mmCIF file with all atom_site columns, all heavy atoms in Angstrom:
data_model
loop_
_atom_site.group_PDB
_atom_site.id
_atom_site.type_symbol
_atom_site.label_atom_id
_atom_site.label_alt_id
_atom_site.label_comp_id
_atom_site.label_asym_id
_atom_site.label_entity_id
_atom_site.label_seq_id
_atom_site.pdbx_PDB_ins_code
_atom_site.Cartn_x
_atom_site.Cartn_y
_atom_site.Cartn_z
_atom_site.occupancy
_atom_site.B_iso_or_equiv
_atom_site.pdbx_formal_charge
_atom_site.auth_seq_id
_atom_site.auth_comp_id
_atom_site.auth_asym_id
_atom_site.auth_atom_id
_atom_site.pdbx_PDB_model_num
ATOM 1   N N   . ILE A 1 176 ? 153.437 181.025 117.972 1.00 0.00 ? 176 ILE A N   1
ATOM 2   C CA  . ILE A 1 176 ? 153.282 180.327 116.655 1.00 0.00 ? 176 ILE A CA  1
ATOM 3   C C   . ILE A 1 176 ? 154.630 179.694 116.149 1.00 0.00 ? 176 ILE A C   1
ATOM 4   O O   . ILE A 1 176 ? 155.589 180.350 116.091 1.00 0.00 ? 176 ILE A O   1
ATOM 5   C CB  . ILE A 1 176 ? 152.761 181.395 115.618 1.00 0.00 ? 176 ILE A CB  1
ATOM 6   C CG1 . ILE A 1 176 ? 151.347 181.890 115.941 1.00 0.00 ? 176 ILE A CG1 1
ATOM 7   C CG2 . ILE A 1 176 ? 152.699 180.796 114.218 1.00 0.00 ? 176 ILE A CG2 1
ATOM 8   C CD1 . ILE A 1 176 ? 150.294 180.843 116.031 1.00 0.00 ? 176 ILE A CD1 1
ATOM 9   N N   . GLU A 1 177 ? 154.508 178.413 115.733 1.00 0.00 ? 177 GLU A N   1
ATOM 10  C CA  . GLU A 1 177 ? 155.597 177.645 115.168 1.00 0.00 ? 177 GLU A CA  1
ATOM 11  C C   . GLU A 1 177 ? 155.416 177.359 113.706 1.00 0.00 ? 177 GLU A C   1
ATOM 12  O O   . GLU A 1 177 ? 156.371 177.260 112.924 1.00 0.00 ? 177 GLU A O   1
ATOM 13  C CB  . GLU A 1 177 ? 155.932 176.476 116.013 1.00 0.00 ? 177 GLU A CB  1
ATOM 14  C CG  . GLU A 1 177 ? 156.310 176.714 117.411 1.00 0.00 ? 177 GLU A CG  1
ATOM 15  C CD  . GLU A 1 177 ? 156.499 175.379 118.105 1.00 0.00 ? 177 GLU A CD  1
ATOM 16  O OE1 . GLU A 1 177 ? 156.568 174.303 117.505 1.00 0.00 ? 177 GLU A OE1 1
ATOM 17  O OE2 . GLU A 1 177 ? 156.658 175.538 119.407 1.00 0.00 ? 177 GLU A OE2 1
ATOM 18  N N   . PHE A 1 179 ? 152.843 178.365 110.317 1.00 0.00 ? 179 PHE A N   1
ATOM 19  C CA  . PHE A 1 179 ? 151.833 179.279 109.743 1.00 0.00 ? 179 PHE A CA  1
ATOM 20  C C   . PHE A 1 179 ? 151.668 179.043 108.278 1.00 0.00 ? 179 PHE A C   1
ATOM 21  O O   . PHE A 1 179 ? 152.694 179.157 107.475 1.00 0.00 ? 179 PHE A O   1
ATOM 22  C CB  . PHE A 1 179 ? 152.155 180.731 110.032 1.00 0.00 ? 179 PHE A CB  1
ATOM 23  C CG  . PHE A 1 179 ? 151.014 181.670 109.644 1.00 0.00 ? 179 PHE A CG  1
ATOM 24  C CD1 . PHE A 1 179 ? 149.969 182.047 110.400 1.00 0.00 ? 179 PHE A CD1 1
ATOM 25  C CD2 . PHE A 1 179 ? 151.100 182.289 108.333 1.00 0.00 ? 179 PHE A CD2 1
ATOM 26  C CE1 . PHE A 1 179 ? 149.005 182.899 110.025 1.00 0.00 ? 179 PHE A CE1 1
ATOM 27  C CE2 . PHE A 1 179 ? 150.145 183.188 107.933 1.00 0.00 ? 179 PHE A CE2 1
ATOM 28  C CZ  . PHE A 1 179 ? 149.073 183.497 108.756 1.00 0.00 ? 179 PHE A CZ  1
ATOM 29  N N   . PHE A 1 198 ? 154.483 187.940 112.181 1.00 0.00 ? 198 PHE A N   1
ATOM 30  C CA  . PHE A 1 198 ? 155.869 187.356 111.894 1.00 0.00 ? 198 PHE A CA  1
ATOM 31  C C   . PHE A 1 198 ? 156.816 187.943 112.694 1.00 0.00 ? 198 PHE A C   1
ATOM 32  O O   . PHE A 1 198 ? 157.754 187.246 113.235 1.00 0.00 ? 198 PHE A O   1
ATOM 33  C CB  . PHE A 1 198 ? 156.143 187.420 110.407 1.00 0.00 ? 198 PHE A CB  1
ATOM 34  C CG  . PHE A 1 198 ? 155.168 186.784 109.512 1.00 0.00 ? 198 PHE A CG  1
ATOM 35  C CD1 . PHE A 1 198 ? 155.052 187.149 108.076 1.00 0.00 ? 198 PHE A CD1 1
ATOM 36  C CD2 . PHE A 1 198 ? 154.419 185.667 109.926 1.00 0.00 ? 198 PHE A CD2 1
ATOM 37  C CE1 . PHE A 1 198 ? 154.092 186.532 107.317 1.00 0.00 ? 198 PHE A CE1 1
ATOM 38  C CE2 . PHE A 1 198 ? 153.534 184.984 109.082 1.00 0.00 ? 198 PHE A CE2 1
ATOM 39  C CZ  . PHE A 1 198 ? 153.362 185.447 107.805 1.00 0.00 ? 198 PHE A CZ  1
ATOM 40  N N   . SER A 1 201 ? 156.866 186.445 116.297 1.00 0.00 ? 201 SER A N   1
ATOM 41  C CA  . SER A 1 201 ? 156.844 184.998 116.336 1.00 0.00 ? 201 SER A CA  1
ATOM 42  C C   . SER A 1 201 ? 158.228 184.490 116.195 1.00 0.00 ? 201 SER A C   1
ATOM 43  O O   . SER A 1 201 ? 158.564 183.831 115.137 1.00 0.00 ? 201 SER A O   1
ATOM 44  C CB  . SER A 1 201 ? 155.825 184.444 115.327 1.00 0.00 ? 201 SER A CB  1
ATOM 45  O OG  . SER A 1 201 ? 154.598 184.945 115.434 1.00 0.00 ? 201 SER A OG  1
ATOM 46  N N   . PRO A 1 202 ? 159.058 184.596 117.172 1.00 0.00 ? 202 PRO A N   1
ATOM 47  C CA  . PRO A 1 202 ? 160.479 184.129 117.110 1.00 0.00 ? 202 PRO A CA  1
ATOM 48  C C   . PRO A 1 202 ? 160.590 182.616 117.027 1.00 0.00 ? 202 PRO A C   1
ATOM 49  O O   . PRO A 1 202 ? 161.635 182.110 116.560 1.00 0.00 ? 202 PRO A O   1
ATOM 50  C CB  . PRO A 1 202 ? 161.071 184.617 118.409 1.00 0.00 ? 202 PRO A CB  1
ATOM 51  C CG  . PRO A 1 202 ? 159.964 184.751 119.297 1.00 0.00 ? 202 PRO A CG  1
ATOM 52  C CD  . PRO A 1 202 ? 158.875 185.276 118.461 1.00 0.00 ? 202 PRO A CD  1
ATOM 53  N N   . LEU A 1 203 ? 159.584 181.853 117.316 1.00 0.00 ? 203 LEU A N   1
ATOM 54  C CA  . LEU A 1 203 ? 159.586 180.396 117.170 1.00 0.00 ? 203 LEU A CA  1
ATOM 55  C C   . LEU A 1 203 ? 159.131 179.874 115.870 1.00 0.00 ? 203 LEU A C   1
ATOM 56  O O   . LEU A 1 203 ? 159.140 178.639 115.682 1.00 0.00 ? 203 LEU A O   1
ATOM 57  C CB  . LEU A 1 203 ? 158.745 179.796 118.368 1.00 0.00 ? 203 LEU A CB  1
ATOM 58  C CG  . LEU A 1 203 ? 159.148 180.144 119.726 1.00 0.00 ? 203 LEU A CG  1
ATOM 59  C CD1 . LEU A 1 203 ? 158.221 179.466 120.714 1.00 0.00 ? 203 LEU A CD1 1
ATOM 60  C CD2 . LEU A 1 203 ? 160.615 179.723 120.022 1.00 0.00 ? 203 LEU A CD2 1
ATOM 61  N N   . LEU A 1 204 ? 158.715 180.795 114.987 1.00 0.00 ? 204 LEU A N   1
ATOM 62  C CA  . LEU A 1 204 ? 158.231 180.377 113.696 1.00 0.00 ? 204 LEU A CA  1
ATOM 63  C C   . LEU A 1 204 ? 159.313 179.538 112.929 1.00 0.00 ? 204 LEU A C   1
ATOM 64  O O   . LEU A 1 204 ? 160.393 180.029 112.584 1.00 0.00 ? 204 LEU A O   1
ATOM 65  C CB  . LEU A 1 204 ? 157.839 181.583 112.870 1.00 0.00 ? 204 LEU A CB  1
ATOM 66  C CG  . LEU A 1 204 ? 157.113 181.311 111.534 1.00 0.00 ? 204 LEU A CG  1
ATOM 67  C CD1 . LEU A 1 204 ? 155.757 180.638 111.842 1.00 0.00 ? 204 LEU A CD1 1
ATOM 68  C CD2 . LEU A 1 204 ? 156.831 182.647 110.832 1.00 0.00 ? 204 LEU A CD2 1
ATOM 69  N N   . ALA A 1 205 ? 158.827 178.294 112.633 1.00 0.00 ? 205 ALA A N   1
ATOM 70  C CA  . ALA A 1 205 ? 159.759 177.479 111.858 1.00 0.00 ? 205 ALA A CA  1
ATOM 71  C C   . ALA A 1 205 ? 159.278 177.024 110.534 1.00 0.00 ? 205 ALA A C   1
ATOM 72  O O   . ALA A 1 205 ? 160.050 176.799 109.605 1.00 0.00 ? 205 ALA A O   1
ATOM 73  C CB  . ALA A 1 205 ? 159.978 176.076 112.818 1.00 0.00 ? 205 ALA A CB  1
ATOM 74  N N   . ASP A 1 206 ? 157.958 176.969 110.404 1.00 0.00 ? 206 ASP A N   1
ATOM 75  C CA  . ASP A 1 206 ? 157.337 176.462 109.173 1.00 0.00 ? 206 ASP A CA  1
ATOM 76  C C   . ASP A 1 206 ? 156.339 177.602 108.633 1.00 0.00 ? 206 ASP A C   1
ATOM 77  O O   . ASP A 1 206 ? 155.377 177.892 109.348 1.00 0.00 ? 206 ASP A O   1
ATOM 78  C CB  . ASP A 1 206 ? 156.588 175.196 109.512 1.00 0.00 ? 206 ASP A CB  1
ATOM 79  C CG  . ASP A 1 206 ? 156.038 174.507 108.137 1.00 0.00 ? 206 ASP A CG  1
ATOM 80  O OD1 . ASP A 1 206 ? 155.599 175.310 107.231 1.00 0.00 ? 206 ASP A OD1 1
ATOM 81  O OD2 . ASP A 1 206 ? 156.017 173.284 108.193 1.00 0.00 ? 206 ASP A OD2 1
ATOM 82  N N   . CYS A 1 229 ? 162.873 185.951 112.438 1.00 0.00 ? 229 CYS A N   1
ATOM 83  C CA  . CYS A 1 229 ? 162.548 184.552 112.567 1.00 0.00 ? 229 CYS A CA  1
ATOM 84  C C   . CYS A 1 229 ? 163.924 183.725 112.315 1.00 0.00 ? 229 CYS A C   1
ATOM 85  O O   . CYS A 1 229 ? 164.307 183.510 111.264 1.00 0.00 ? 229 CYS A O   1
ATOM 86  C CB  . CYS A 1 229 ? 161.531 184.061 111.492 1.00 0.00 ? 229 CYS A CB  1
ATOM 87  S SG  . CYS A 1 229 ? 159.969 184.996 111.600 1.00 0.00 ? 229 CYS A SG  1
ATOM 88  N N   . ASN A 1 231 ? 164.548 180.600 113.464 1.00 0.00 ? 231 ASN A N   1
ATOM 89  C CA  . ASN A 1 231 ? 164.376 179.074 113.745 1.00 0.00 ? 231 ASN A CA  1
ATOM 90  C C   . ASN A 1 231 ? 163.763 178.437 112.462 1.00 0.00 ? 231 ASN A C   1
ATOM 91  O O   . ASN A 1 231 ? 163.064 177.432 112.604 1.00 0.00 ? 231 ASN A O   1
ATOM 92  C CB  . ASN A 1 231 ? 163.644 178.841 114.969 1.00 0.00 ? 231 ASN A CB  1
ATOM 93  C CG  . ASN A 1 231 ? 164.282 179.294 116.175 1.00 0.00 ? 231 ASN A CG  1
ATOM 94  O OD1 . ASN A 1 231 ? 165.285 178.587 116.651 1.00 0.00 ? 231 ASN A OD1 1
ATOM 95  N ND2 . ASN A 1 231 ? 163.890 180.293 116.739 1.00 0.00 ? 231 ASN A ND2 1
ATOM 96  N N   . LEU A 1 232 ? 163.970 179.031 111.273 1.00 0.00 ? 232 LEU A N   1
ATOM 97  C CA  . LEU A 1 232 ? 163.276 178.478 110.035 1.00 0.00 ? 232 LEU A CA  1
ATOM 98  C C   . LEU A 1 232 ? 163.698 177.103 109.651 1.00 0.00 ? 232 LEU A C   1
ATOM 99  O O   . LEU A 1 232 ? 164.875 176.781 109.718 1.00 0.00 ? 232 LEU A O   1
ATOM 100 C CB  . LEU A 1 232 ? 163.483 179.426 108.925 1.00 0.00 ? 232 LEU A CB  1
ATOM 101 C CG  . LEU A 1 232 ? 162.942 180.867 109.123 1.00 0.00 ? 232 LEU A CG  1
ATOM 102 C CD1 . LEU A 1 232 ? 163.369 181.742 108.043 1.00 0.00 ? 232 LEU A CD1 1
ATOM 103 C CD2 . LEU A 1 232 ? 161.395 180.864 109.201 1.00 0.00 ? 232 LEU A CD2 1
#
Side-chain angles (χ1 to χ4, degrees):
I176 298 296
E177 298 176 9
F179 184 85
F198 298 155
S201 299
L203 301 178
L204 187 61
D206 188 322
C229 304
N231 293 286
L232 296 174

